[in-house]
Amino acid sequence: MAAALAMAGCTHAPAPQPLPVSDTPLRTYSDDPLLADDLIRNEWPVPPDGTFDVLALSGGGPNGAFGAGVLEGWTGRGDRPQFDHVTGVSTGALIAPFAYLGTEWDGELRSAYLGEGVSGLMQRRVLSGAFASSMFRGEPLTQLVDSHVTQELVDAVAEASRSGRSLIVITTDLDAQRPVAWDMGAVARLGGEPARALFRDILVASASIPGVFPPVRLNADGQEELHVDGGVSAPIYAVPEALADRLGSSLAPPAPVRIFMIANISVHPVADETEPGTLGIMLRSLNTSGKASMRAALQMNAALADQFGADFHVMSIPRGQSVPVTDFSEKSLLRLFDLGLGMGRDGDWRETAVGFEG
C-alpha cells in the first residue's frame, strides 16, 4: 500500500539545478484513477508493530503551530506510533517530514514554528498591484524553509523511505489545475544538494498561499510548471480520492489500518464582521472556502475509511480559535502550539469528520 499511496516575479525559489535520473517516479497527479486501482490490487505491507498507520496533515498557514503542538503532546502521551504513510498539504507539508522521521525530531518541529524568523514572514512587496504575483515577498518563506531542510533531514528521509514507508507532499499544478503528489522519499534518495534544493522548493510551493506568497516554478522532469499551495486542490490528503468511485471494491490488508487526520483549521463557521478592503475580503473568503473544503474532504475520508474497514480519527482546532493566514505573531503561534500540545496529550481525537465543537 505504501508504494501505491506514495504515487497516490512569479517565482521566489532559485533556478533548479540538474537532477540525477531516478528509477522511481518523483510525482504523479494525486487525482489519477490509476492510484485507486493500484491500491486495490497491490499487497499491503505488514509493519513491524502490526498496524498500518496513516497521518494526514492539512493546510492552515500559521495554524500549523497547532499541528506541531499536537504531535509533541502525542509524544508526551506515550502512544504516538511510527507512521507508515505521512502526507502533508501547505503548512502540513512543512510539518510532514518531522512527523515522518519520528519523535526525536519534535524539537526541530517546534523550532520551525516558534523559532526566530517566523514572525518576519509577512513582508509586503515595495511595489504591488494588478501585475504582482503576490502581496508579500516570497524570500522570507524560502529562507525559513531552507534553514530547516538540512542535508541531515533529507538524508534521514531517504533512509527511512528505504523500508517502504512513504512521505507525500501535495502541491497544485496551477496550469493543469490538478493536485500533484510528490514522493519525498524518492526526491531525497536522489542525493546531494540538487535533491535538497528540490525537496525545499516542493515544501515552499505547497505552502505558497495564492495571493499571499508568489507561486514557485518546479522542474523535476525537464518541464517547468507553476505550482502553488496544495490546499487549493486538496485541503487534506490521506488516500486517493478516486477510491470514492470504487464503491464495489474492497481492500484486504493483512494488518489493521488506522488513519489520523490533523486539520490545522477550525472546521465550523464563526460569525464575524468582514473587514473592509481587498485584503479583508480576500482573507475572509479564503477562510470560508477553506472551512467548506475541509469539511467535505474530512467527510469523504471518513466515508472511505468506513467503506474499507479502516479506523478513522481526526483532530481540529476548536471553534473560533484559529487565526488568519497572515497572523504569524509570536503570541498567536505560541497559543496555537500550546492548544495542540494539550489536545495531543489528552488524546482528543474524534471518530466523526466534523462533530460538535464548543
Side-chain angles (χ1 to χ4, degrees):
M1 178 179 179
L5 286 171
M7 292 311 301
C10 280
T11 179
H12 57 269
Q17 302 182 45
L19 288 168
V21 176
S22 172
D23 56 1
T24 302
L26 300 182
R27 61 177 182 180
T28 189
Y29 286 119
S30 66
D31 58 1
D32 191 332
L34 292 177
L35 291 180
D37 295 336
D38 288 343
L39 188 58
I40 292 169
R41 288 194 301 264
N42 286 358
E43 294 184 2
W44 293 39
V46 179
D49 63 3
T51 303
F52 194 94
D53 289 308
V54 176
L55 175 67
L57 299 149
S58 86
N63 296 288
F66 168 79
V70 168
L71 287 167
E72 186 168 317
W74 198 353
T75 298
R77 182 180 172 85
D79 59 354
R80 174 176 156 185
Q82 174 179 274
F83 302 110
D84 303 289
H85 180 67
V86 177
T87 71
V89 178
S90 195
T91 193
L94 306 183
I95 301 172
F98 303 106
Y100 175 74
L101 291 176
T103 58
E104 61 269 29
W105 288 79
D106 282 357
E108 290 292 327
L109 177 55
R110 173 191 280 261
S111 176
Y113 280 90
L114 303 182
E116 295 182 5
V118 180
S119 60
L121 279 178
M122 311 311 291
Q123 297 181 18
R124 281 190 175 273
R125 291 182 178 276
V126 176
L127 297 175
S128 61
F131 297 102
S133 60
S134 64
M135 292 183 299
F136 299 92
R137 298 174 60 238
E139 289 81 4
L141 176 60
T142 299
Q143 291 165 5
L144 178 66
V145 175
D146 186 76
S147 69
H148 291 283
V149 179
T150 61
Q151 194 63 57
E152 179 186 8
L153 179 141
V154 175
D155 290 345
V157 168
E159 182 61 30
S161 72
R162 292 188 176 96
S163 68
R165 297 169 56 225
S166 50
L167 172 62
I168 302 300
V169 164
I170 304 295
T171 64
T172 299
D173 181 340
L174 201 56
D175 297 325
Q177 292 189 320
R178 297 179 72 183
V180 176
W182 295 85
D183 182 342
M184 302 303 282
V187 171
R189 291 194 302 272
L190 293 173
E193 175 57 21
R196 191 195 75 86
L198 178 59
F199 196 105
R200 173 203 62 206
D201 293 347
I202 292 168
L203 297 187
V204 172
S206 186
S208 293
I209 303 168
V212 178
F213 295 116
V216 176
R217 291 194 180 278
L218 295 177
N219 182 350
D221 56 9
Q223 181 175 349
E224 280 198 355
E225 300 166 347
L226 204 61
H227 286 249
V228 296
D229 187 347
V232 170
S233 52
I236 194 166
Y237 181 86
V239 295
E241 61 189 74
L243 273 178
D245 295 327
R246 307 298 192 265
L247 296 178
S249 303
S250 62
L251 302 178
V257 178
R258 297 188 297 183
I259 297 176
F260 297 94
M261 308 191 83
I262 298 177
N264 296 300
I265 187 174
S266 177
V267 297
H268 288 280
V270 176
D272 195 9
E273 185 175 350
T274 302
E275 294 185 11
T278 302
L279 181 59
I281 293 172
M282 184 191 77
L283 293 178
R284 185 66 172 171
S285 299
L286 283 173
N287 182 262
T288 302
S289 174
K291 288 184 177 187
S293 296
M294 183 63 68
R295 288 194 298 271
L298 292 176
Q299 288 163 343
M300 182 197 75
N301 278 276
L304 289 175
D306 181 67
Q307 175 186 341
F308 294 112
D311 289 341
F312 178 83
H313 310 273
V314 64
M315 192 179 294
S316 60
I317 298 177
R319 184 194 302 270
Q321 297 198 46
S322 59
V323 300
V325 294
T326 56
D327 183 3
F328 283 88
S329 66
E330 181 180 353
K331 179 180 179 180
S332 291
L333 293 173
L334 183 58
R335 178 182 65 78
L336 286 161
F337 184 90
D338 287 343
L339 174 65
L341 188 71
M343 292 179 66
R345 186 183 298 121
D346 293 341
D348 288 339
W349 299 97
R350 62 177 186 270
E351 297 180 0
T352 56
V354 178
F356 296 94
E357 297 176 345

mmCIF file of all heavy atoms in Angstrom, residues 318-334:
data_model
loop_
_atom_site.group_PDB
_atom_site.id
_atom_site.type_symbol
_atom_site.label_atom_id
_atom_site.label_comp_id
_atom_site.label_asym_id
_atom_site.label_seq_id
_atom_site.Cartn_x
_atom_site.Cartn_y
_atom_site.Cartn_z
ATOM 1 N N PRO A 318 -10.458 23.869 17.825
ATOM 2 C CA PRO A 318 -11.819 24.150 18.298
ATOM 3 C C PRO A 318 -12.370 25.444 17.703
ATOM 4 O O PRO A 318 -11.635 26.339 17.288
ATOM 5 C CB PRO A 318 -11.641 24.270 19.816
ATOM 6 C CG PRO A 318 -10.417 23.459 20.119
ATOM 7 C CD PRO A 318 -9.517 23.664 18.928
ATOM 8 N N ARG A 319 -13.670 25.519 17.680
ATOM 9 C CA ARG A 319 -14.377 26.643 17.078
ATOM 10 C C ARG A 319 -13.842 27.989 17.589
ATOM 11 O O ARG A 319 -13.692 28.215 18.776
ATOM 12 C CB ARG A 319 -15.867 26.554 17.432
ATOM 13 C CG ARG A 319 -16.726 27.632 16.768
ATOM 14 C CD ARG A 319 -18.110 27.695 17.416
ATOM 15 N NE ARG A 319 -18.818 26.422 17.337
ATOM 16 C CZ ARG A 319 -19.619 26.081 16.326
ATOM 17 N NH1 ARG A 319 -19.802 26.908 15.321
ATOM 18 N NH2 ARG A 319 -20.237 24.907 16.337
ATOM 19 N N GLY A 320 -13.557 28.867 16.622
ATOM 20 C CA GLY A 320 -13.186 30.238 16.943
ATOM 21 C C GLY A 320 -11.769 30.442 17.445
ATOM 22 O O GLY A 320 -11.404 31.561 17.811
ATOM 23 N N GLN A 321 -10.918 29.398 17.430
ATOM 24 C CA GLN A 321 -9.577 29.543 17.991
ATOM 25 C C GLN A 321 -8.467 29.550 16.946
ATOM 26 O O GLN A 321 -7.288 29.580 17.288
ATOM 27 C CB GLN A 321 -9.324 28.439 19.026
ATOM 28 C CG GLN A 321 -10.268 28.518 20.226
ATOM 29 C CD GLN A 321 -9.760 27.745 21.419
ATOM 30 O OE1 GLN A 321 -8.595 27.839 21.790
ATOM 31 N NE2 GLN A 321 -10.638 26.966 22.037
ATOM 32 N N SER A 322 -8.833 29.515 15.663
ATOM 33 C CA SER A 322 -7.828 29.635 14.615
ATOM 34 C C SER A 322 -7.531 31.111 14.362
ATOM 35 O O SER A 322 -8.234 31.995 14.858
ATOM 36 C CB SER A 322 -8.308 28.960 13.329
ATOM 37 O OG SER A 322 -9.517 29.541 12.885
ATOM 38 N N VAL A 323 -6.479 31.386 13.595
ATOM 39 C CA VAL A 323 -6.086 32.768 13.303
ATOM 40 C C VAL A 323 -6.026 32.968 11.791
ATOM 41 O O VAL A 323 -5.941 32.000 11.026
ATOM 42 C CB VAL A 323 -4.720 33.113 13.935
ATOM 43 C CG1 VAL A 323 -4.773 32.954 15.449
ATOM 44 C CG2 VAL A 323 -3.595 32.267 13.338
ATOM 45 N N PRO A 324 -6.066 34.231 11.317
ATOM 46 C CA PRO A 324 -5.942 34.487 9.877
ATOM 47 C C PRO A 324 -4.609 33.981 9.332
ATOM 48 O O PRO A 324 -3.623 33.876 10.066
ATOM 49 C CB PRO A 324 -6.029 36.024 9.785
ATOM 50 C CG PRO A 324 -6.735 36.440 11.032
ATOM 51 C CD PRO A 324 -6.322 35.465 12.087
ATOM 52 N N VAL A 325 -4.580 33.678 8.028
ATOM 53 C CA VAL A 325 -3.381 33.089 7.432
ATOM 54 C C VAL A 325 -2.194 34.044 7.417
ATOM 55 O O VAL A 325 -1.067 33.622 7.146
ATOM 56 C CB VAL A 325 -3.663 32.596 5.998
ATOM 57 C CG1 VAL A 325 -4.648 31.447 6.010
ATOM 58 C CG2 VAL A 325 -4.145 33.732 5.106
ATOM 59 N N THR A 326 -2.415 35.311 7.723
ATOM 60 C CA THR A 326 -1.303 36.260 7.747
ATOM 61 C C THR A 326 -0.805 36.543 9.160
ATOM 62 O O THR A 326 0.124 37.336 9.337
ATOM 63 C CB THR A 326 -1.731 37.590 7.100
ATOM 64 O OG1 THR A 326 -2.902 38.090 7.767
ATOM 65 C CG2 THR A 326 -2.017 37.406 5.624
ATOM 66 N N ASP A 327 -1.394 35.912 10.175
ATOM 67 C CA ASP A 327 -1.033 36.202 11.568
ATOM 68 C C ASP A 327 0.047 35.244 12.056
ATOM 69 O O ASP A 327 -0.245 34.196 12.631
ATOM 70 C CB ASP A 327 -2.272 36.110 12.461
ATOM 71 C CG ASP A 327 -1.967 36.476 13.917
ATOM 72 O OD1 ASP A 327 -0.813 36.855 14.214
ATOM 73 O OD2 ASP A 327 -2.884 36.373 14.756
ATOM 74 N N PHE A 328 1.304 35.630 11.826
ATOM 75 C CA PHE A 328 2.429 34.842 12.298
ATOM 76 C C PHE A 328 3.058 35.470 13.540
ATOM 77 O O PHE A 328 4.259 35.330 13.776
ATOM 78 C CB PHE A 328 3.481 34.690 11.196
ATOM 79 C CG PHE A 328 3.118 33.682 10.143
ATOM 80 C CD1 PHE A 328 2.369 34.061 9.034
ATOM 81 C CD2 PHE A 328 3.514 32.360 10.258
ATOM 82 C CE1 PHE A 328 2.034 33.132 8.053
ATOM 83 C CE2 PHE A 328 3.178 31.426 9.282
ATOM 84 C CZ PHE A 328 2.433 31.812 8.186
ATOM 85 N N SER A 329 2.250 36.149 14.342
ATOM 86 C CA SER A 329 2.771 36.771 15.549
ATOM 87 C C SER A 329 3.191 35.709 16.551
ATOM 88 O O SER A 329 2.619 34.613 16.618
ATOM 89 C CB SER A 329 1.719 37.687 16.182
ATOM 90 O OG SER A 329 0.608 36.937 16.646
ATOM 91 N N GLU A 330 4.201 36.023 17.324
ATOM 92 C CA GLU A 330 4.706 35.072 18.320
ATOM 93 C C GLU A 330 3.617 34.664 19.301
ATOM 94 O O GLU A 330 3.504 33.487 19.675
ATOM 95 C CB GLU A 330 5.886 35.698 19.066
ATOM 96 C CG GLU A 330 6.515 34.786 20.105
ATOM 97 C CD GLU A 330 7.687 35.439 20.819
ATOM 98 O OE1 GLU A 330 8.085 36.551 20.411
ATOM 99 O OE2 GLU A 330 8.203 34.843 21.786
ATOM 100 N N LYS A 331 2.783 35.617 19.707
ATOM 101 C CA LYS A 331 1.717 35.332 20.665
ATOM 102 C C LYS A 331 0.732 34.312 20.106
ATOM 103 O O LYS A 331 0.356 33.347 20.800
ATOM 104 C CB LYS A 331 0.991 36.630 21.014
ATOM 105 C CG LYS A 331 -0.165 36.451 21.990
ATOM 106 C CD LYS A 331 -0.838 37.787 22.287
ATOM 107 C CE LYS A 331 -2.017 37.608 23.235
ATOM 108 N NZ LYS A 331 -2.678 38.924 23.515
ATOM 109 N N SER A 332 0.309 34.507 18.855
ATOM 110 C CA SER A 332 -0.666 33.596 18.250
ATOM 111 C C SER A 332 -0.081 32.209 18.042
ATOM 112 O O SER A 332 -0.732 31.180 18.302
ATOM 113 C CB SER A 332 -1.158 34.157 16.913
ATOM 114 O OG SER A 332 -1.943 35.313 17.115
ATOM 115 N N LEU A 333 1.167 32.138 17.554
ATOM 116 C CA LEU A 333 1.792 30.845 17.299
ATOM 117 C C LEU A 333 1.965 30.052 18.592
ATOM 118 O O LEU A 333 1.713 28.840 18.634
ATOM 119 C CB LEU A 333 3.135 31.043 16.608
ATOM 120 C CG LEU A 333 3.094 31.609 15.183
ATOM 121 C CD1 LEU A 333 4.498 31.910 14.691
ATOM 122 C CD2 LEU A 333 2.399 30.648 14.234
ATOM 123 N N LEU A 334 2.379 30.728 19.650
ATOM 124 C CA LEU A 334 2.570 30.040 20.929
ATOM 125 C C LEU A 334 1.236 29.552 21.487
ATOM 126 O O LEU A 334 1.142 28.429 22.010
ATOM 127 C CB LEU A 334 3.252 30.969 21.920
ATOM 128 C CG LEU A 334 3.584 30.364 23.300
ATOM 129 C CD1 LEU A 334 4.489 29.144 23.149
ATOM 130 C CD2 LEU A 334 4.252 31.409 24.194
#
